[in-house]
Amino acid sequence: MTVRAAKGVILATGGLANTLGAPGEAEFAGRGVYSYADRDYAAVAGKPVVVVGGGDSALTQALALAEVAAKVTVVARGASLRAFEVYQQAVENNPKVDLRLHSTVQAITGNGAVAAVRVLHGGATEELEAAGVPLFGITNFSHEFWPPFRARESAMFDRFRDIVVSGAEKMVKPDPAIYRL
């Protein structure tokens, strides 16, 4: 079994946001699974990434992500890519992009964020290790009000890696200093 690390999974399924229907896809939407990556480049800088799809959208995303990511693995169902030839050649000639043709995503797993992508490739299951993009939050709650509110709404706030409480930090948004904490 080959294991590949990835910061997240980008679903590049065409002009309209299609879904894979794979277990874990909906659960990790916005927490390692994205339908379009342009706004997520900073989150994957220096990290491996998985892109699912074989058309123009997938390959243009893979090429753009290869500029910042450590490695990009493209997972596509077909025997060949469907994208314009210029994109195919650019992907095939990019040393930071790996292709997994004849492959399907079986599941996306993790605990709060993507941890792995299980791919059926060449008749065998391949686990592409991934680390989902963590969620962080900033709130203007007071230090006194926050703990009981957080406890009451734990199902939502447990998804966050950390939440900066401005009342505890003695600063409020939009003070730029709060974003550096």
Side-chain angles (χ1 to χ4, degrees):
M1 177 190 310
T2 303
V3 175
R4 302 198 186 281
K7 180 71 175 170
V9 180
I10 307 300
L11 303 180
T13 56
L16 297 174
N18 297 318
T19 60
L20 302 173
E25 178 182 6
E27 178 184 350
F28 297 110
R31 293 180 292 136
V33 175
Y34 302 95
S35 60
Y36 200 71
D38 281 350
R39 63 184 161 269
D40 303 311
Y41 291 159
V44 299
K47 309 291 184 205
V49 175
V50 175
V51 174
V52 180
D56 294 332
S57 294
L59 298 194
T60 56
Q61 288 295 304
L63 291 167
L65 288 163
E67 295 293 320
V68 297
K71 190 75 165 177
V72 177
T73 302
V74 175
V75 175
R77 288 184 310 230
S80 61
L81 299 169
R82 300 179 325 274
F84 284 116
E85 185 66 29
V86 66
Y87 297 139
Q88 291 183 44
Q89 288 176 359
V91 162
E92 290 166 0
N93 293 324
N94 191 318
K96 291 176 71 177
V97 179
D98 278 340
L99 294 175
R100 291 287 181 282
L101 301 176
H102 294 287
S103 301
T104 56
V105 173
Q106 301 297 298
I108 301 167
T109 62
N111 184 12
V114 173
V117 180
R118 192 170 308 122
V119 175
L120 183 61
H121 173 67
T125 300
E126 181 178 12
E127 193 89 4
L128 302 176
E129 186 180 343
V133 178
L135 289 176
F136 294 92
I138 299 175
T139 176
N140 274 339
F141 281 121
S142 71
H143 178 64
E144 298 76 25
F145 182 73
W146 175 249
F149 181 77
R150 196 245 179 254
R152 189 180 79 217
E153 301 296 334
S154 64
M156 178 176 72
F157 293 119
D158 285 349
R159 295 179 174 194
F160 289 80
R161 178 178 286 175
D162 192 20
I163 299 173
V164 174
V165 179
S166 61
E169 300 297 333
K170 308 266 190 277
M171 62 179 74
V172 297
K173 299 180 290 184
D175 183 340
I178 200 166
Y179 298 100
R180 292 190 291 273
L181 295 176

